[in-house]
Amino acid sequence: MPSNPSQPSTPSSPKPASSASPAWIRWLLKLSLWGAGLLVAGAASLLLFVAVALAVAYPNLPDISDLSDYRPKLPLRVYSSDGVMIGEFGEERRNLTPIKDIPQIMKDAVLAIEDARFFSHGGVDYLGIIRAGFANMGRAKSQGASTITMQVARNVYLSAEKSYTRKIYEILLTFKLEHLLSKNQILEIYMNQIFLGNRAYGFAAASEAYFGKPLKDISIAEAAMLAGLPKAPSAYNPIANPKRARSRQLYIIERMQENGFITAEQATAAKNEELKLKTGPDAGRIHAEYVAETVRQLVFNQYGEETYTRGLNVTTTLRSADQTVAYKALRKGIMDYERRQIYRGPEKFIDIPSKAQEIEDAIDEALAENPDNGDVMSAVVLEASPKRILAMRQNSETVEITGEGLKPAQSGLADKAGPNIKIRRGALIRVMKTPKNTWEITQLPEVEGAFVALDPRDGTVRALVGGFDFQKNKFNHVTQAWRQPGSSFKPFIYSAALEKGFTPATVVNDAPLFFDAGVTGGQPWEPKNYDGNFEGPMSLRTGLKKSKNMVSIRILQAIGAPYAQEWITHFGFEADKHPAYLTMALGAGSVTPMQMATAYSVFANGGYRVNPYLISRITDQRGKVLLESKPPVLTAASRTIDARNAFIMNSLLQEVTRSGTAAKAQATLKRPDLFGKTGTTNDSIDTWFVGYQPTLTAAVWMGYDTPKKLGDRETGGGLTLPIWINFMEYALKGVPVAEYPPPEGVVNQGGEWYYTEYARGGGVASLGGSSHDPNAAGGEQQPAPGESGFGAPAPDTQPSDEKKRILDLFKN
């Protein structure tokens, strides 16, 4: 039947979903399965890789068992007898400090910035890694992900190489450390091992290096400053980069507060605390550089390269207070001499820019290259005229020099001064503070000096200064300078004469002498007295106190130079350094200041030979004694000259300090128990004073390294004796006046001392120190026989058996 067109057609039924939809889902499912498979395979591969890495790397990890008995490189340290450190030698400055002795505030500061969860993680802080990552991505304060254990692994055992292999070793070693060591052991290693700049390793050494104080005494602010150093010791060095160091210090204080280590009040106080940094050499340190270097050489000869890593502690016989006084006394004596010398001109000249900031930078750079030498400070001239100098020191400190302060450099301010002498803008000069707290211009000395003090009873070295400044000249003049002793050698010739029958009363003619070439074997020789005067017949006592050359030569003629050459070996001198010629009477041989101090100690201790020694004890880092030297006991075996020889020489040398060339000694120190002899060589090339009190011997020398005249009027009494007096004034404070009791075999007759066999009768007197030679100024009455005192005879009290010997001495 035909359809009815007016009827609407029935809509078609919906078609099934397209076949692409199921395919897409199937594809996703397949992809997911493949991804899961790859993930599993990757994980398995990673596990396999880790397993292989562990199997290969773990056996190759270094043995860390020695860390349970941690012994890092420790320097050689040298101390005075009273425990003051005077020297340190080694690449790494480190004070090994047990964890129990490290202040809690120092540990807290380190943990706050380096590893706050140190005691709760197992070596690798996974939460810390995530936190550091987010912090760094968010541009917050940069945070590291290395734990303290990882840093120990890296610093102790691994190189600085940056590679995946090294990182793997670091993590593996970290786990190994955590397994074998306790947390406190790991922290102790870290606190002692880490490099913190200024050659300081560990926080104890850093505390000394930056603040000049023991770690136990640091404040919260100081601990925070030190804790900032491990990340970048140079960048956060508070001395070199104070602004960056300060910024990091403040951040660490905040971290300490956030972690509950300190309160808000403590944090505020720490932020406001002004730190006192050790910006230069410690003003209070002991200047014993020559001693420290001598010790280093002695220890190195014994222990080799271990000297610098084994942590040896050497205690010397030095007394820190005596050493300081000796150092200052020698420098003062040298600078007093330097003031009398011609000004040699500025050390250098620099171009001074026009801009203010550039001026300061240029001057600071010049002064850094020419640093202060103790109290002899450097400065750059800004303005100069004959009446005024304006100069600048470091940190823009200005120095004005006027009046008396200009006198040492008048020649450099003259209009006609040469270009190298002229003091002008840009000249680098030296300045000093005067006792009146004003400034004076000066110059670094060319002359050198030496000082050494010994205890004559056992040879312990009490003080030793080998030169004006160790950094300027490392040559140790006390032990290495072989110089002519001049008249300071005469006592040993006199000592030899006592053994040949001479007495202090023996009369010798102080008259001219001449030796032609036939006698000398070379050039004719006509010796002179220092003052050019001849005083005729006089006693040995007077001849020594006035240091008469003719008397000494005639004595040596009488006893024979070969005999004298052998006799001086009793005092430690080397015979070949003193040829057996008459010039030996005037000290023409070669000695060192140490030899002279040792030799005079024989007189001081009554005739015993003592060897000077400097090291009393050596211990290792744990306090184990490796070497200990005990003071020697003086016995008959160590006697080198007769007690009566020493006694009479003491009498003669006391006269020198009482009324002779060294009379200033007793006059200044106001005590009679002082003995010694001045010495000045030909043309005043070397000057000496060697003297002693029964408990202390000291030798002083001054001269140029390249021998030349010190000056026509320069003598041992004027140059070196004041140094000796300055030292003894301090060293003998509180020391009772001592007397030498007369030994057997001497008698006092007519106020003079004799060997018994050379005198007739006379009682033995005890030794005091109040009598005077009849030729001395003042004319005090001589003690009668039996009275106390070293004495000298009147001209007519000489024993009759002396006359034969006298006649021989008037020949020539």
Side-chain angles (χ1 to χ4, degrees):
M1 177 178 200
S3 61
N4 187 353
S6 63
Q7 260 185 340
S9 59
T10 306
S12 302
S13 60
K15 294 182 178 180
S18 172
S19 62
S21 294
W24 177 77
I25 293 172
R26 286 194 300 270
W27 180 80
L28 271 179
L29 290 172
K30 288 181 180 180
L31 188 62
S32 299
L33 290 173
W34 274 103
L38 289 173
L39 189 61
V40 172
S45 298
L46 181 61
L47 290 172
L48 181 62
F49 174 78
V50 171
V52 171
L54 286 171
V56 173
Y58 200 85
N60 294 323
L61 290 176
D63 180 15
I64 65 171
S65 59
D66 57 339
L67 281 184
S68 60
D69 185 24
Y70 175 59
R71 295 187 182 184
K73 291 181 179 179
L74 294 173
L76 166 70
R77 290 192 175 93
V78 186
Y79 297 89
S80 66
S81 62
D82 48 336
V84 178
M85 190 169 75
I86 59 176
E88 186 176 40
F89 301 92
E91 294 180 6
E92 302 178 3
R93 292 178 179 170
R94 179 183 284 112
N95 296 326
L96 183 58
T97 309
I99 191 67
K100 64 181 177 62
D101 295 332
I102 298 174
Q104 188 61 43
I105 197 64
M106 187 70 253
K107 291 183 280 190
D108 290 343
V110 169
L111 294 175
I113 189 61
E114 293 294 332
D115 193 354
R117 298 183 64 251
F118 172 70
F119 284 99
S120 60
H121 63 64
V124 177
D125 187 2
Y126 304 104
L127 290 177
I129 293 174
I130 296 171
R131 185 181 62 252
F134 279 117
N136 295 339
M137 288 171 60
R139 296 184 179 181
K141 285 279 186 180
S142 177
Q143 295 183 12
S146 290
T147 65
I148 283 178
T149 312
M150 293 171 74
Q151 292 183 59
V152 169
R154 183 190 315 141
N155 291 324
V156 176
Y157 289 108
L158 303 177
S159 68
E161 173 196 7
K162 292 186 177 181
S163 66
Y164 291 113
T165 303
R166 200 215 68 167
K167 197 66 180 177
I168 291 171
Y169 271 93
E170 181 181 315
I171 294 172
L172 293 177
L173 192 55
T174 296
F175 291 140
K176 191 172 184 178
L177 285 170
E178 287 278 345
H179 177 67
L180 293 178
L181 301 177
S182 70
K183 286 288 187 178
N184 274 333
Q185 284 178 304
I186 294 171
L187 186 58
E188 178 180 303
I189 294 168
Y190 177 83
M191 300 291 281
N192 283 283
Q193 183 71 24
I194 194 75
F195 175 63
L196 300 171
N198 272 19
R199 287 180 55 210
Y201 288 77
F203 288 93
S207 180
E208 295 282 358
Y210 292 104
F211 301 119
K213 62 167 62 175
L215 186 62
K216 64 182 178 65
D217 295 335
I218 62 168
S219 65
I220 294 173
E222 291 166 337
M225 184 65 79
L226 294 179
L229 291 167
K231 182 178 181 180
S234 297
Y236 296 114
N237 183 319
I239 297 173
N241 295 297
K243 289 183 180 179
R244 295 186 68 179
R246 171 66 172 164
S247 175
R248 185 158 176 81
Q249 178 212 27
L250 294 175
Y251 173 60
I252 292 172
I253 293 173
E254 292 172 1
R255 292 280 297 162
M256 293 176 72
Q257 183 183 350
E258 290 171 7
N259 283 277
F261 294 135
I262 58 175
T263 65
E265 291 76 13
Q266 288 176 311
T268 301
K271 290 178 180 179
N272 293 330
E273 181 179 330
E274 183 178 349
L275 301 186
K276 295 179 180 179
L277 295 172
K278 180 182 173 182
T279 56
D282 187 356
R285 75 187 177 103
I286 306 302
H287 285 281
E289 294 87 348
Y290 291 98
V291 175
E293 173 59 19
T294 300
V295 169
R296 184 199 67 79
Q297 294 175 18
L298 293 172
V299 175
F300 184 84
N301 289 340
Q302 178 68 30
Y303 296 100
E305 291 299 330
E306 279 192 343
T307 297
Y308 310 119
T309 60
R310 190 173 171 181
L312 299 175
N313 296 305
V314 181
T315 301
T316 66
T317 60
L318 217 67
R319 293 187 182 181
S320 61
D322 288 350
Q323 179 66 23
T324 296
V325 173
Y327 172 80
K328 291 180 178 179
L330 182 65
R331 283 179 67 96
K332 182 181 184 301
I334 289 176
M335 292 309 297
D336 286 346
Y337 169 80
E338 190 59 47
R339 288 186 183 91
R340 302 193 290 272
Q341 308 312 302
I342 296 174
Y343 187 63
R344 296 183 292 275
E347 293 181 25
K348 64 188 294 187
F349 297 91
I350 67 169
D351 294 324
I352 298 182
S354 56
K355 295 182 180 180
Q357 184 57 49
E358 292 179 356
I359 290 176
E360 292 181 11
D361 292 343
I363 289 176
D364 284 346
E365 183 178 347
L367 296 180
E369 294 174 357
N370 298 266
D372 294 347
N373 187 303
D375 53 356
V376 184
M377 296 170 275
S378 53
V380 174
V381 175
L382 300 177
E383 301 173 15
S385 71
K387 293 186 177 181
R388 178 178 178 268
I389 290 177
L390 183 66
M392 181 178 286
R393 289 193 17 80
Q394 286 180 328
N395 301 319
S396 303
E397 177 190 3
T398 55
V399 171
E400 185 179 38
I401 310 170
T402 58
E404 292 291 320
L406 297 173
K407 280 191 174 181
Q410 281 293 332
S411 59
L413 294 169
D415 293 336
K416 296 181 180 180
N420 294 329
I421 305 296
K422 183 73 173 178
I423 299 174
R424 58 183 185 273
R425 181 177 170 84
L428 193 146
I429 61 173
R430 294 283 170 170
V431 296
M432 287 183 70
K433 273 288 184 71
T434 68
K436 297 180 180 179
N437 203 35
T438 59
W439 291 97
E440 73 172 359
I441 190 168
T442 186
Q443 56 191 343
L444 283 174
E446 291 181 344
V447 74
E448 273 294 353
F451 181 97
V452 61
L454 311 174
D455 187 328
R457 298 165 295 182
D458 55 24
T460 54
V461 177
R462 292 262 299 268
L464 187 155
V465 188
F468 179 78
D469 180 72
F470 183 75
Q471 298 304 322
K472 177 173 171 279
N473 186 349
K474 293 179 172 58
F475 185 77
N476 190 338
H477 297 84
V478 168
T479 58
Q480 296 176 294
W482 290 91
R483 309 294 294 219
Q484 289 188 340
S487 297
S488 63
F489 197 74
K490 289 176 181 176
F492 307 107
I493 305 301
Y494 278 63
S495 173
L498 294 179
E499 298 303 303
K500 286 291 189 178
F502 283 74
T503 76
T506 302
V507 175
V508 181
N509 194 14
D510 177 33
L513 285 167
F514 177 80
F515 303 92
D516 58 28
V519 174
T520 64
Q523 297 294 321
W525 182 41
E526 187 176 6
K528 305 286 186 184
N529 286 322
Y530 172 77
D531 58 6
N533 298 322
F534 302 98
E535 300 183 33
M538 62 178 60
S539 68
L540 260 67
R541 180 178 292 276
T542 301
L544 185 62
K545 79 170 186 178
K546 292 188 174 183
S547 199
K548 290 293 187 177
N549 291 341
M550 303 304 110
V551 173
S552 296
I553 293 171
R554 282 192 163 91
I555 291 173
L556 186 57
Q557 269 187 305
I559 65 175
Y563 173 76
Q565 184 188 44
E566 187 280 329
W567 180 256
I568 65 171
T569 62
H570 291 242
F571 300 87
F573 295 115
E574 301 170 33
D576 61 348
K577 296 282 188 182
H578 302 269
Y581 302 124
L582 292 180
T583 52
M584 181 168 51
L586 307 184
S590 296
V591 300
T592 66
M594 182 65 87
Q595 277 190 334
M596 291 296 282
T598 305
Y600 271 71
S601 291
V602 174
F603 295 140
N605 64 31
Y608 297 93
R609 175 83 176 275
V610 292
N611 293 317
Y613 74 96
L614 188 58
I615 296 175
S616 61
R617 174 182 291 191
I618 299 178
T619 61
D620 64 13
Q621 59 172 312
R622 300 186 181 279
K624 179 183 177 182
V625 177
L626 305 178
L627 177 146
E628 189 162 18
S629 300
K630 294 184 179 179
V633 177
L634 301 182
T635 64
S638 56
R639 176 169 292 284
T640 189
I641 65 171
D642 197 297
R644 59 184 187 168
N645 186 298
F647 177 84
I648 290 181
M649 285 308 304
N650 289 334
S651 168
L652 295 175
L653 290 171
Q654 186 183 41
E655 197 66 59
V656 176
T657 65
R658 181 164 51 202
S659 62
T661 56
K664 187 177 180 181
Q666 289 196 36
T668 303
L669 298 178
K670 309 296 183 185
R671 56 189 301 155
D673 57 340
L674 303 176
F675 314 79
K677 183 70 183 74
T678 55
T680 309
T681 62
N682 282 346
D683 296 323
S684 297
I685 290 175
D686 297 278
T687 61
W688 295 81
F689 184 76
V690 191
Y692 55 92
Q693 190 268 352
T695 63
L696 189 61
T697 304
V700 192
W701 165 85
M702 273 182 64
Y704 288 97
D705 280 339
T706 301
K708 65 177 182 179
K709 291 181 66 172
L710 288 163
D712 291 335
R713 296 184 178 181
E714 304 294 356
T715 65
L719 283 182
T720 49
L721 175 60
I723 297 171
W724 188 90
I725 291 174
N726 285 345
F727 173 78
M728 287 293 185
E729 188 171 23
Y730 172 83
L732 295 180
K733 278 183 180 177
V735 177
V737 172
E739 297 182 354
Y740 287 111
E744 291 186 9
V746 298
V747 295
N748 186 290
Q749 186 172 31
E752 184 57 276
W753 292 100
Y754 302 92
Y755 285 4
T756 302
E757 60 267 34
Y758 300 134
R760 294 178 180 176
V764 176
S766 65
L767 292 182
S770 60
S771 64
H772 285 251
D773 185 282
N775 296 308
E780 284 89 341
Q781 184 177 354
Q782 298 298 317
E787 290 182 350
S788 173
F790 278 137
D796 60 353
T797 61
Q798 179 171 295
S800 59
D801 58 353
E802 284 285 295
K803 294 180 180 177
K804 294 180 181 179
R805 286 187 287 277
I806 295 171
L807 294 175
D808 293 336
L809 296 175
F810 277 93
K811 296 178 181 179
N812 301 319

